[in-house]
Structure formats: structure tokens, C-alpha cells
Amino acid sequence: MQDGKRQGGKGAVYQVLCPETGRVGTVWISAGQPAAPQIDPEVLARRAADSMKLVGPKIANPRASGKYVVGMPTWMWVDESPTTFGPNSATATAGGVTVTATAKVSSIRWNMGDGTAPETCDGPGTKYQASMGKTPSPDCGHVYEQASTNSKGGKFHGTATATWTIDWQVTGAPAQAGQFTEVRASQFSAAVHEVQVVN
């Protein structure tokens, strides 16, 4: 705390720490005046994000009912909706401050369950069509190099983890904006067979 004069009066500058976000700021409080609570807009932004009910990716492929083959390209993609991929927006208000937050998935990290390094895709992936034959996915694919026979239930069990990027801004003055990320995950399974056991 530092004593001093500001705008013709006595008071002090206080350092303010918001435990929820770790943000640090300062506020001037005039002498004899009660300390009015300061609203951290990022706290409101996180409250707005919570109200969106964001969840993990809605995995369209790989799917539990699918049959996959060792050495053949596997295409990964997700279905898009406001709660599983975005964009999604919400507002939150407190103490005269209103914040609008907009969330969208910026990447999906695919752990394919076969012990290989995860694959990171920047978008929802491209839906496979029969006309595409044996070509690899143009933007989000994987090749299983071993069968899932020895895995639990005879399937590989993987995870698709979405990184949601949330941009926020204060409506009106003072103009403030920021960004933070959150993650949500979904599980999937894939039965992978050797070529000779596929009909």
C-alpha cells in the first residue's frame, strides 16, 4: 500500500489479486471511502464459458461399430455443434460489468490407443466417402500398424481431447479483452484387424 494524493484527495493505491485467475492489478481508494469490490472481467468470462456447457468432441469416426484394418488409412472426424465444437457465445454480468465470451475448438489431440504418439488436428477433420478409396485423410488421419486383438475387448481405446479457445471482451467502457483455453475429452474405441481376417 502506498499513501498519496490523487484527484485532490488523500487515499491509497492497493494491489488486487484475483485468486481464480491469478490476475494482478491496482486500484485507487480514497481515504475514508469503503473499498468497493473490483470485478475481474476474466472471472465473468469464465462464468460465461461455464454457462455454455462445453463438452468433448462428438466423435463420428473412429466408431465402436466400425472395422479398421492394419496398414490402411483411418480417417478421424467429429460432428460440429455449439457445445461440441463451437462457435458458442454467452454473456455474464456483475457489478455493472458485462463480458461477452465466444468459444471455439482450436485443435483436437487424438490419442489412438495403440501406443503411438498422439495426432493433433487443427479442425474437425474430413468425413470419409467411399469414392475416396484408400487415400489418406487430407487433414486428420492415422494408420494402425498393429491389430487390436490383444487389447481389452479386442479394441483399441482412445481419447479425443479438444482445446477450446475462449475470446472475451467487456461490453462498453473500460474496453478490455482477453483469451484463455479449456480442454474437454471424449473416449472412443476401434477394432483393428489384420487384412487376412477381413471378409
PDB file of all heavy atoms in Angstrom, residues 6 31 36 48 71 77-78 97 99 104-106 123 133 158 165 168:
ATOM      1  N   ARG A   6      -4.468  11.982  -4.919  1.00  0.00           N
ATOM      2  CA  ARG A   6      -4.928  11.782  -6.279  1.00  0.00           C
ATOM      3  C   ARG A   6      -6.256  12.492  -6.439  1.00  0.00           C
ATOM      4  O   ARG A   6      -7.123  12.416  -5.570  1.00  0.00           O
ATOM      5  CB  ARG A   6      -5.083  10.285  -6.573  1.00  0.00           C
ATOM      6  CG  ARG A   6      -5.524  10.017  -7.998  1.00  0.00           C
ATOM      7  CD  ARG A   6      -5.492   8.534  -8.262  1.00  0.00           C
ATOM      8  NE  ARG A   6      -6.057   8.249  -9.571  1.00  0.00           N
ATOM      9  CZ  ARG A   6      -6.084   7.064 -10.131  1.00  0.00           C
ATOM     10  NH1 ARG A   6      -5.548   6.045  -9.509  1.00  0.00           N
ATOM     11  NH2 ARG A   6      -6.633   6.889 -11.308  1.00  0.00           N
ATOM     12  N   ALA A  31      -9.311   8.078   0.761  1.00  0.00           N
ATOM     13  CA  ALA A  31      -9.321   7.957   2.216  1.00  0.00           C
ATOM     14  C   ALA A  31     -10.743   8.110   2.740  1.00  0.00           C
ATOM     15  O   ALA A  31     -11.496   8.975   2.303  1.00  0.00           O
ATOM     16  CB  ALA A  31      -8.409   9.009   2.836  1.00  0.00           C
ATOM     17  N   ALA A  36     -14.698  -0.557  -2.590  1.00  0.00           N
ATOM     18  CA  ALA A  36     -15.708  -1.206  -3.436  1.00  0.00           C
ATOM     19  C   ALA A  36     -15.097  -2.435  -4.097  1.00  0.00           C
ATOM     20  O   ALA A  36     -13.936  -2.415  -4.507  1.00  0.00           O
ATOM     21  CB  ALA A  36     -16.197  -0.229  -4.500  1.00  0.00           C
ATOM     22  N   ALA A  48     -19.248 -17.085 -18.006  1.00  0.00           N
ATOM     23  CA  ALA A  48     -19.996 -17.180 -19.272  1.00  0.00           C
ATOM     24  C   ALA A  48     -19.663 -18.478 -19.986  1.00  0.00           C
ATOM     25  O   ALA A  48     -20.552 -19.160 -20.519  1.00  0.00           O
ATOM     26  CB  ALA A  48     -19.673 -15.977 -20.161  1.00  0.00           C
ATOM     27  N   GLY A  71      -2.522 -51.128 -41.405  1.00  0.00           N
ATOM     28  CA  GLY A  71      -1.842 -50.586 -42.575  1.00  0.00           C
ATOM     29  C   GLY A  71      -2.699 -49.732 -43.492  1.00  0.00           C
ATOM     30  O   GLY A  71      -2.179 -49.140 -44.440  1.00  0.00           O
ATOM     31  N   TRP A  77     -12.778 -37.797 -37.740  1.00  0.00           N
ATOM     32  CA  TRP A  77     -13.522 -36.543 -37.832  1.00  0.00           C
ATOM     33  C   TRP A  77     -14.592 -36.495 -36.750  1.00  0.00           C
ATOM     34  O   TRP A  77     -14.936 -37.513 -36.156  1.00  0.00           O
ATOM     35  CB  TRP A  77     -14.135 -36.338 -39.215  1.00  0.00           C
ATOM     36  CG  TRP A  77     -15.327 -37.191 -39.570  1.00  0.00           C
ATOM     37  CD1 TRP A  77     -16.644 -36.886 -39.358  1.00  0.00           C
ATOM     38  CD2 TRP A  77     -15.317 -38.475 -40.210  1.00  0.00           C
ATOM     39  NE1 TRP A  77     -17.449 -37.895 -39.825  1.00  0.00           N
ATOM     40  CE2 TRP A  77     -16.654 -38.888 -40.358  1.00  0.00           C
ATOM     41  CE3 TRP A  77     -14.299 -39.323 -40.664  1.00  0.00           C
ATOM     42  CZ2 TRP A  77     -17.016 -40.100 -40.942  1.00  0.00           C
ATOM     43  CZ3 TRP A  77     -14.651 -40.532 -41.248  1.00  0.00           C
ATOM     44  CH2 TRP A  77     -15.985 -40.905 -41.384  1.00  0.00           C
ATOM     45  N   VAL A  78     -15.067 -35.291 -36.479  1.00  0.00           N
ATOM     46  CA  VAL A  78     -16.090 -35.069 -35.451  1.00  0.00           C
ATOM     47  C   VAL A  78     -17.249 -34.305 -36.060  1.00  0.00           C
ATOM     48  O   VAL A  78     -17.099 -33.581 -37.050  1.00  0.00           O
ATOM     49  CB  VAL A  78     -15.523 -34.287 -34.241  1.00  0.00           C
ATOM     50  CG1 VAL A  78     -14.377 -35.041 -33.589  1.00  0.00           C
ATOM     51  CG2 VAL A  78     -15.076 -32.883 -34.650  1.00  0.00           C
ATOM     52  N   VAL A  97     -20.479  -4.621 -14.748  1.00  0.00           N
ATOM     53  CA  VAL A  97     -19.569  -5.038 -15.816  1.00  0.00           C
ATOM     54  C   VAL A  97     -20.206  -6.200 -16.576  1.00  0.00           C
ATOM     55  O   VAL A  97     -20.666  -7.166 -15.975  1.00  0.00           O
ATOM     56  CB  VAL A  97     -18.200  -5.478 -15.254  1.00  0.00           C
ATOM     57  CG1 VAL A  97     -17.290  -5.970 -16.368  1.00  0.00           C
ATOM     58  CG2 VAL A  97     -17.548  -4.331 -14.494  1.00  0.00           C
ATOM     59  N   VAL A  99     -19.504  -8.961 -19.728  1.00  0.00           N
ATOM     60  CA  VAL A  99     -18.482  -9.580 -20.569  1.00  0.00           C
ATOM     61  C   VAL A  99     -19.151 -10.573 -21.516  1.00  0.00           C
ATOM     62  O   VAL A  99     -20.006 -11.356 -21.102  1.00  0.00           O
ATOM     63  CB  VAL A  99     -17.420 -10.307 -19.716  1.00  0.00           C
ATOM     64  CG1 VAL A  99     -16.446 -11.083 -20.596  1.00  0.00           C
ATOM     65  CG2 VAL A  99     -16.651  -9.304 -18.861  1.00  0.00           C
ATOM     66  N   LYS A 104     -14.582 -21.583 -29.291  1.00  0.00           N
ATOM     67  CA  LYS A 104     -14.490 -22.442 -30.462  1.00  0.00           C
ATOM     68  C   LYS A 104     -13.319 -23.395 -30.272  1.00  0.00           C
ATOM     69  O   LYS A 104     -12.296 -23.032 -29.700  1.00  0.00           O
ATOM     70  CB  LYS A 104     -14.292 -21.622 -31.744  1.00  0.00           C
ATOM     71  CG  LYS A 104     -14.470 -22.445 -33.026  1.00  0.00           C
ATOM     72  CD  LYS A 104     -14.395 -21.560 -34.257  1.00  0.00           C
ATOM     73  CE  LYS A 104     -14.823 -22.297 -35.514  1.00  0.00           C
ATOM     74  NZ  LYS A 104     -14.212 -23.596 -35.722  1.00  0.00           N
ATOM     75  N   VAL A 105     -13.491 -24.629 -30.749  1.00  0.00           N
ATOM     76  CA  VAL A 105     -12.398 -25.600 -30.667  1.00  0.00           C
ATOM     77  C   VAL A 105     -11.298 -25.187 -31.642  1.00  0.00           C
ATOM     78  O   VAL A 105     -11.555 -24.969 -32.826  1.00  0.00           O
ATOM     79  CB  VAL A 105     -12.898 -27.020 -30.992  1.00  0.00           C
ATOM     80  CG1 VAL A 105     -11.725 -27.980 -31.143  1.00  0.00           C
ATOM     81  CG2 VAL A 105     -13.841 -27.511 -29.891  1.00  0.00           C
ATOM     82  N   SER A 106     -10.084 -25.068 -31.135  1.00  0.00           N
ATOM     83  CA  SER A 106      -8.951 -24.668 -31.976  1.00  0.00           C
ATOM     84  C   SER A 106      -8.121 -25.859 -32.426  1.00  0.00           C
ATOM     85  O   SER A 106      -7.424 -25.789 -33.438  1.00  0.00           O
ATOM     86  CB  SER A 106      -8.062 -23.661 -31.235  1.00  0.00           C
ATOM     87  OG  SER A 106      -7.706 -24.150 -29.957  1.00  0.00           O
ATOM     88  N   GLY A 123      -8.638 -28.875 -37.174  1.00  0.00           N
ATOM     89  CA  GLY A 123     -10.056 -28.697 -37.448  1.00  0.00           C
ATOM     90  C   GLY A 123     -10.847 -29.942 -37.106  1.00  0.00           C
ATOM     91  O   GLY A 123     -10.351 -30.856 -36.438  1.00  0.00           O
ATOM     92  N   GLY A 133     -11.708 -44.092 -51.627  1.00  0.00           N
ATOM     93  CA  GLY A 133     -10.902 -45.312 -51.665  1.00  0.00           C
ATOM     94  C   GLY A 133      -9.937 -45.443 -50.501  1.00  0.00           C
ATOM     95  O   GLY A 133     -10.318 -45.253 -49.352  1.00  0.00           O
ATOM     96  N   GLY A 158      -9.182 -45.130 -27.264  1.00  0.00           N
ATOM     97  CA  GLY A 158      -8.503 -43.853 -27.433  1.00  0.00           C
ATOM     98  C   GLY A 158      -9.272 -42.682 -26.856  1.00  0.00           C
ATOM     99  O   GLY A 158     -10.389 -42.831 -26.343  1.00  0.00           O
ATOM    100  N   THR A 165     -10.707 -22.533 -27.349  1.00  0.00           N
ATOM    101  CA  THR A 165     -10.167 -21.189 -27.177  1.00  0.00           C
ATOM    102  C   THR A 165     -11.335 -20.244 -26.932  1.00  0.00           C
ATOM    103  O   THR A 165     -12.271 -20.187 -27.736  1.00  0.00           O
ATOM    104  CB  THR A 165      -9.375 -20.739 -28.411  1.00  0.00           C
ATOM    105  OG1 THR A 165      -8.251 -21.622 -28.581  1.00  0.00           O
ATOM    106  CG2 THR A 165      -8.860 -19.313 -28.252  1.00  0.00           C
ATOM    107  N   TRP A 168     -12.765 -13.197 -25.010  1.00  0.00           N
ATOM    108  CA  TRP A 168     -13.762 -12.399 -24.298  1.00  0.00           C
ATOM    109  C   TRP A 168     -13.468 -10.916 -24.415  1.00  0.00           C
ATOM    110  O   TRP A 168     -12.340 -10.501 -24.659  1.00  0.00           O
ATOM    111  CB  TRP A 168     -13.822 -12.806 -22.813  1.00  0.00           C
ATOM    112  CG  TRP A 168     -12.537 -12.648 -22.043  1.00  0.00           C
ATOM    113  CD1 TRP A 168     -11.586 -13.589 -21.820  1.00  0.00           C
ATOM    114  CD2 TRP A 168     -12.058 -11.453 -21.388  1.00  0.00           C
ATOM    115  NE1 TRP A 168     -10.551 -13.083 -21.076  1.00  0.00           N
ATOM    116  CE2 TRP A 168     -10.822 -11.772 -20.788  1.00  0.00           C
ATOM    117  CE3 TRP A 168     -12.566 -10.158 -21.241  1.00  0.00           C
ATOM    118  CZ2 TRP A 168     -10.079 -10.835 -20.068  1.00  0.00           C
ATOM    119  CZ3 TRP A 168     -11.831  -9.218 -20.521  1.00  0.00           C
ATOM    120  CH2 TRP A 168     -10.603  -9.569 -19.938  1.00  0.00           C
TER     121      TRP A 168
END
